[in-house]
Amino acid sequence: MSADPVTWKLTLPCTKAEAEAVAAYDGEIDAVLITTEVDEAAGEWRLDAYFEGEPDAATLGQVRELAASGGWSTAMPEPLSDEDWVAISQQGLEPIREGRFVVHTSAHPGDAPDGGRAFLIDAGQAFGTGHHGTTSGCLAMLDRLAVEGERFANVIDLGTGTGLLAFAARHLWPEARVAATDIDPIAIDVTRENMAFNDVDQVALVVADGTRDPAIAQSAPYDLVIANILAGPLIAMAPEVAAIAAPGATIVLAGLLTNQAEKVVDAYAAQGASVRARNVRGDWTILCLTAAAERRSVGTDGSGRGDWAIDA
């Protein structure tokens, strides 16, 4: 007798605007949310929500609010077997190539070019397979920095997800000290597993809310700060990112929609940072900033973090 399914799926129609809002959503819904374009000409999109266990009415209501244009669809969640979930998570994840990097899943192997590096990152419980425009754009930005001859000695990847960007930094600057942090302990567990899969070593792993951990402060300042999160948290974290950045450090920011970019730029400009480069990928923008010539200070308890609100 087979075990009961643990993953449930709810599919709702939505608009492009709602899909963009879902991508920028930073609320607390106990679900994995994935949006897909169904018909470009008609502007039709789809929201798929995956739940660990059968969702309750309150959680379903939260998800339905994100796709309210569909007239509060009466579609109900359905259980998936473990095999169905693995198959869904791997669908369409062909290897991606960014500069010297290839990122692939177990189902779709890929080889790195000469002098490059391939990373096996399976879809799972943490964000960052490389297939999302923000993650692949960060890979391209890091590769560009290396091509331009940049050298870094102390690197931190805030909100590391799967660890991919920290691994890329480790490859590009093998003499550097590299740390990867995430607020979610599961993400750090996933990163640790991915380190083993990919024979990556000497990446320090820290569970932390932003930069608020003594280990992060003690290892500062960092000459390369990477944060692929969301626009709102990036804005709120601007003072503390500035506080751990070395004078003139490079800061790579992603997870923001293109129409949110100027608000993020303004938040970091207030900390003395300036824009060095942008990588626009459709609705998403990756920013490369240069930190202020002098370090800013902020309490290690995150007392420099402000409240934030941002319109998509």
Side-chain angles (χ1 to χ4, degrees):
M1 183 176 179
S2 61
D4 291 335
V6 296
T7 301
W8 288 64
K9 176 185 178 183
L10 173 65
T11 298
L12 300 172
C14 69
T15 65
K16 180 180 179 180
E18 287 171 335
E20 291 176 345
V22 168
Y25 182 72
D26 193 37
E28 295 183 0
I29 293 182
D30 191 13
V32 175
L33 305 175
I34 299 175
T35 55
T36 305
E37 187 174 34
V38 176
D39 186 332
E40 181 178 4
E44 296 177 356
W45 287 67
R46 183 182 76 238
L47 169 62
D48 293 313
Y50 296 91
F51 311 89
E52 185 176 349
E54 184 175 5
D56 58 27
T59 301
L60 288 176
Q62 287 179 295
V63 174
R64 292 185 191 281
E65 285 183 358
L66 296 175
S69 68
W72 285 82
S73 169
T74 58
M76 296 300 294
E78 298 180 351
L80 300 173
S81 69
D82 287 345
E83 292 76 13
D84 288 337
W85 170 241
V86 171
I88 289 169
S89 70
Q90 302 298 333
Q91 282 178 358
L93 298 187
E94 299 291 339
I96 66 158
R97 301 179 185 276
E98 290 290 348
R100 72 198 72 197
F101 297 113
V102 172
V103 186
H104 65 92
T105 65
S106 299
H108 302 281
D111 296 322
D114 292 342
R117 182 71 157 83
F119 291 113
L120 167 61
I121 306 288
D122 275 326
Q125 292 179 289
F127 178 80
T129 61
H131 292 79
H132 194 281
T134 60
T135 310
S136 59
C138 283
L139 285 175
M141 188 70 77
L142 294 177
D143 185 72
R144 173 179 172 178
L145 289 169
V147 169
E148 292 176 352
E150 292 288 346
R151 296 292 179 264
F152 301 106
N154 198 15
V155 180
I156 189 165
D157 177 19
L158 302 171
T160 194
T162 61
L164 175 60
L165 300 179
F167 302 166
R170 185 86 185 94
H171 175 75
L172 292 170
W173 301 286
E175 302 302 319
R177 179 169 57 183
V178 179
T181 80
D182 205 286
I183 192 173
D184 186 355
I186 292 177
I188 294 300
D189 289 340
V190 169
T191 297
R192 186 176 292 107
E193 293 173 359
N194 286 336
M195 287 177 65
F197 293 152
N198 291 282
D199 294 322
V200 175
D201 61 2
Q202 297 183 12
V203 173
L205 304 180
V206 182
V207 177
D209 179 4
T211 69
R212 296 189 282 187
D213 187 277
I216 296 174
Q218 290 166 8
S219 297
Y222 301 89
D223 51 5
L224 174 59
V225 180
I226 307 164
N228 180 18
I229 311 177
L230 289 170
L234 287 175
I235 289 171
M237 290 170 59
E240 58 192 273
V241 169
I244 65 169
T250 297
I251 303 172
V252 175
L253 304 177
L256 51 132
L257 293 167
T258 297
N259 61 9
Q260 298 170 328
E262 290 312 311
K263 293 182 180 180
V264 176
V265 169
D266 290 346
Y268 284 80
Q271 303 301 318
S274 58
V275 176
R276 172 176 171 177
R278 297 175 189 240
N279 184 341
V280 179
R281 299 200 165 203
D283 294 330
W284 301 92
T285 290
I286 296 85
L287 297 171
C288 182
L289 309 179
T290 300
E294 296 182 359
R295 283 186 70 191
R296 303 297 175 101
S297 61
V298 65
T300 56
D301 63 350
S303 57
R305 184 184 300 185
D307 294 332
W308 61 269
I310 187 164
D311 299 322

